[in-house]
Amino acid sequence: MLCLIYTPAIDLDTDLFQSRVLLSKLKTNKLEEVMIELPEALTLAKQINERLAGKVVRSTEAAHSPHKFTWYHDDPAEYPAKLMDNIVLSARGVGMFVEVTLSGSMLLFSDGVNLRLHPNAGAIPAKHQLLINFEDGTSLSASVAMYGCVVCWG
């Protein structure tokens, strides 16, 4: 199922979530087609806490690829200013949402949003609705498949 660290460089945490078994039941090989529900939200939050807590945001790009069914809070052009120099403090899964608390702002991702961690400036998807680059070269991308919320309060 959907997993924050799905990249060619880092495979899924199968102990946390048995993605391959669930994917075979869904008869799909695309991780992006699975919605965030409570188990996925808890798993993503745990992985964000393990891999991103303490990292400092160096740059952000929002609304890179226009998507008719991506919902933002206020103007996404303001997201870089809201997120710049923030430290990732914690994350939690709340129903179908992943809530990320930073030192000066908060992010909220709903079902339909695919989160990927790109270690060491790894390959970034061509289409994304939010890209956060951290000071250590790691990036987090959020791409919307069919619909989804990418919300930032600051």
Side-chain angles (χ1 to χ4, degrees):
M1 298 217 48
L2 180 67
C3 193
L4 169 70
I5 59 165
Y6 178 72
T7 65
I10 299 177
D11 202 2
L12 300 168
D13 275 347
T14 54
D15 291 343
L16 296 175
F17 212 77
Q18 299 205 359
S19 59
R20 290 182 182 96
V21 172
L22 292 170
L23 285 172
S24 64
K25 288 180 183 175
L26 292 172
K27 298 192 184 327
T28 181
N29 61 2
K30 293 184 178 181
L31 295 175
E32 296 83 22
E33 294 180 6
V34 181
M35 297 187 315
I36 296 176
E37 293 178 355
L38 185 59
E40 293 88 357
L42 295 173
T43 299
L44 288 167
K46 180 176 181 176
Q47 293 175 348
I48 289 169
N49 285 326
E50 290 172 352
R51 292 173 176 85
L52 296 179
K55 293 189 183 227
V56 179
V57 176
R58 281 298 165 228
S59 64
T60 304
E61 183 179 10
H64 172 76
S65 304
H67 192 293
K68 190 174 184 175
F69 294 108
T70 300
W71 297 285
Y72 300 94
H73 177 70
D74 289 331
D75 185 0
E78 297 175 8
Y79 284 23
K82 291 178 181 180
L83 294 168
M84 185 66 170
D85 295 324
N86 275 236
I87 300 168
V88 178
L89 300 177
S90 65
R92 66 184 189 137
V94 183
M96 64 178 200
F97 298 97
V98 176
E99 179 184 279
V100 182
T101 303
L102 294 97
S103 56
S105 59
M106 182 174 283
L107 289 167
L108 185 73
F109 303 104
S110 72
D111 68 321
V113 178
N114 305 304
L115 297 175
R116 290 192 185 96
L117 178 65
H118 308 280
N120 305 318
I124 306 298
K127 293 185 178 184
H128 55 78
Q129 281 63 52
L130 181 66
L131 178 66
I132 301 172
N133 298 305
F134 298 98
E135 67 180 356
D136 67 351
T138 301
S139 298
L140 175 69
S141 67
S143 302
V144 173
M146 290 177 43
Y147 59 86
C149 296
V150 178
V151 175
C152 179
W153 292 281

